[in-house]
Amino acid sequence: MSMPVAHYPLWLRLWHWTNALFFLALIVSGLALHYASPTNTILPFQTARIVHNFTGLALAIAYLVFLLGNRFTPNGKHYIPARRELTEGLWRQLLYYLVGIFRGDPHPHDPRDPQKFNPIQKLTYLGIMYVATPVVIVTGLLLLFPELAPRQIWNMPGVLPAALLHSALGFLLSMFLVGHVYLASTGETIAANYEAMLTGYRSAEFHPVSHRRPHAEVDANGSNAATSTPDEPEGESFGNPASNPTAAKADASPKVGADS
Amino acid sequence: MSVTQHQRGRAIGIRLLLGWLFVWFGAGLPGQQNPAPASQSDAMEGETVVYCLGCHGTQPTGNAEVVARIRAAPVDAARFSASAHGDKSCIFCHYGFSQFPHTEKVLQRKKPQCSSCHRGAKYEHWGFPEIKEEFDASIHKTAQGDAFTCFSCHDPHTFQPSRDTRSIPLTVEYSNSLCIECHRDQQQMQLRFGVTKPALETIHAFLPNRELHWRTVRCLDCHTAPNQRMVSHKILPKAQAVRNCVECHSQESRLLTQLYIHRVKEERQTAGFLNSVVLNDAYVVGMTRNRYLDAASIALAAITFAGIFLHALGRFVAGRRGKRS
């Protein structure tokens, strides 16, 4: 019986979940500030302001931890997309989410691959973590310290562009969070990705193939036949009905962990 | 006889010089026989301002008693000329004071009141009766009684009315200068009203970005009961001042019925901004919102959640079919 492979290092998991917590607090308090009204009961304005300022600063500090972690550990390399990933990889992943997942196609990307992220993940995380988040942090700091912003820009208050960018990007990041949480359920099993991010370990086996489609058809669609298994496990997940870790473990060969 | 510009300037210069010499040597005290600098009875009305400010508009030095009396009625020439009454001559209100030295009878005369002039149909649009009602109910009047008058805040020599044509930051700066003239200075408060108040910074410690608030909204916007004019004279007791942020930081902001009331009357839309009347002056969290961005965000959220629901439903159905087959 093979051991699960280490997938997410501890620092990354700690950062991920604290970041998630801060993010949720920022979304709720941000909505309360944006839609502030005497009748609004999301959160009192005074409380929302304190929560938003505090967690915003905490998220900025956590972001520095993320940057340092990526600088001094191998985790950073997962955010650099290869040219092929940006073309066919991206398309293949998108097709899987739009079509293949309903047909029970094999997942086109093995998360235990040295490339931990699939092309869509990689590109999205790159944009989120290296473009949107720093811009949201900088504009947030300008709103927190408005005296740092120019008094006037084009006959408008200097903080206005920062405020618009902050709320627009804050909203896009919120939508990313929703999509992120949902797409995490498209792993081998519904819970596989959540568990991996909690425990740091991922099952050593990968069962990307559907029991609904003949193997030959999968090959014809360009899926990686080497990672496919012809077994028909009694999957209990929806979307990826192929999974049956118990049955698969019997013939599993040692796999390489994506990252540790 | 027409007076040329040059001759007129010379005459004013001589009068100013004589006025200064007069102060310096302590002339003009009751009982003293020093000659007046000139006869004023025939002074041209327009010239009285220049003439009077020869003493009252300077920082006089010299005989202590004279200096003290002049300092009791100081007038800043620049501020006076920019004030609402800047086009009036001094004797328009201070009649009888053109005589110099001022006679005891004139000095003892009761000071003119605002209502001495500001009455009748001509001033109806200012709403002086309503102002008086508000003033009588204000904490200034109820706490200080008759010691507190219009002049306690509105020095008629510097007063500028709230104009809808003036920029909001300038309106805020001027309006707040009236309040902090007393409230900033503890000694002044003690001397004039016999009360001691904590420092403004201490009282307003709860206010986030305090300096920014002070720069962009008037003290009146939180410390008065709103009315349908730009200014309310009903200064509220401290406990009734606005502390609830959403009274301003919301779409229904009270600023729209106070500081920005004139702008609201000519409501305009700029690139889809709600409350765009404030857009040129300030960005206010919760109040300045872009309706297109708001609509786009709601649409995007709806698409995201609907997409996820349909996707999950599709996976669920596919999973069930897969099991059956």
Side-chain angles (χ1 to χ4, degrees), chain A residues 10-241:
Chain A
L10 179 64
W11 77 265
L12 189 68
R13 281 178 284 139
L14 282 175
W15 167 78
H16 178 270
W17 291 113
T18 45
N19 198 55
L21 198 68
F22 293 150
F23 222 101
L24 282 175
L26 284 165
I27 291 172
V28 174
S29 54
L31 284 173
L33 292 173
H34 187 76
Y35 292 103
S37 150
T39 53
N40 191 340
T41 52
I42 304 176
L43 204 61
F45 190 93
Q46 291 91 324
T47 316
R49 186 188 67 80
I50 294 167
V51 170
H52 205 76
N53 290 351
F54 179 77
T55 45
L57 285 172
L59 183 124
I61 293 166
Y63 182 67
L64 290 179
V65 171
F66 171 81
L67 287 183
L68 290 174
N70 278 356
R71 172 72 184 79
F72 294 108
T73 73
N75 192 59
K77 72 174 189 288
H78 295 301
Y79 295 84
I80 305 165
R83 186 175 291 178
R84 277 191 68 184
E85 286 180 300
L86 289 176
T87 51
E88 57 192 278
L90 206 61
W91 181 240
R92 200 165 56 162
Q93 188 66 37
L94 192 66
L95 265 183
Y96 171 73
Y97 284 140
L98 292 177
V99 182
I101 197 167
F102 303 113
R103 299 195 307 209
D105 285 358
H107 201 293
H109 179 81
D110 179 354
R112 295 161 303 105
D113 190 279
Q115 292 295 320
K116 188 165 61 176
F117 300 144
N118 71 46
I120 287 185
Q121 276 180 302
K122 191 172 278 191
L123 206 63
T124 313
Y125 296 168
L126 187 69
I128 295 293
M129 295 313 299
Y130 287 97
V131 181
T133 302
V135 174
V136 158
I137 289 173
V138 170
T139 51
L141 287 171
L142 278 177
L143 289 170
L144 188 59
F145 304 105
E147 61 274 14
L148 298 178
R151 279 280 179 93
Q152 287 249 306
I153 295 176
W154 298 311
N155 204 29
M156 284 191 197
V159 291
L160 186 68
L164 290 178
L165 207 55
H166 189 77
S167 47
L169 281 177
F171 183 77
L172 288 178
L173 286 172
S174 310
M175 289 302 104
F176 157 76
L177 181 73
V178 175
H180 180 62
V181 170
Y182 172 69
L183 286 177
S185 72
T186 60
E188 275 186 86
T189 63
I190 290 178
N193 285 334
Y194 305 118
E195 277 173 11
M197 194 37 103
L198 276 170
T199 63
Y201 287 90
R202 187 180 281 287
S203 164
E205 295 79 32
F206 181 56
H207 313 283
V209 79
S210 166
H211 63 282
R212 290 187 57 229
R213 303 186 63 224
H215 196 188
E217 200 180 329
V218 173
D219 285 344
N221 277 285
S223 301
N224 185 358
T227 57
S228 306
T229 57
D231 302 332
E232 291 201 0
E234 309 244 332
E236 56 186 23
S237 64
F238 68 89
N240 257 339

Side-chain angles (χ1 to χ4, degrees), chain B residues 38 112 133 146 149 155 200 273:
Chain B
E133 264 177 44
D146 290 340
T149 66
D155 182 342
L200 289 178
F273 281 95

Side-chain angles (χ1 to χ4, degrees), chain B residues 11 25 116 128 173 176 270 287 294:
Chain B
F25 292 111
S116 309
F128 277 95
E173 188 185 349
N176 289 355
T270 309
M287 179 174 161
D294 282 1

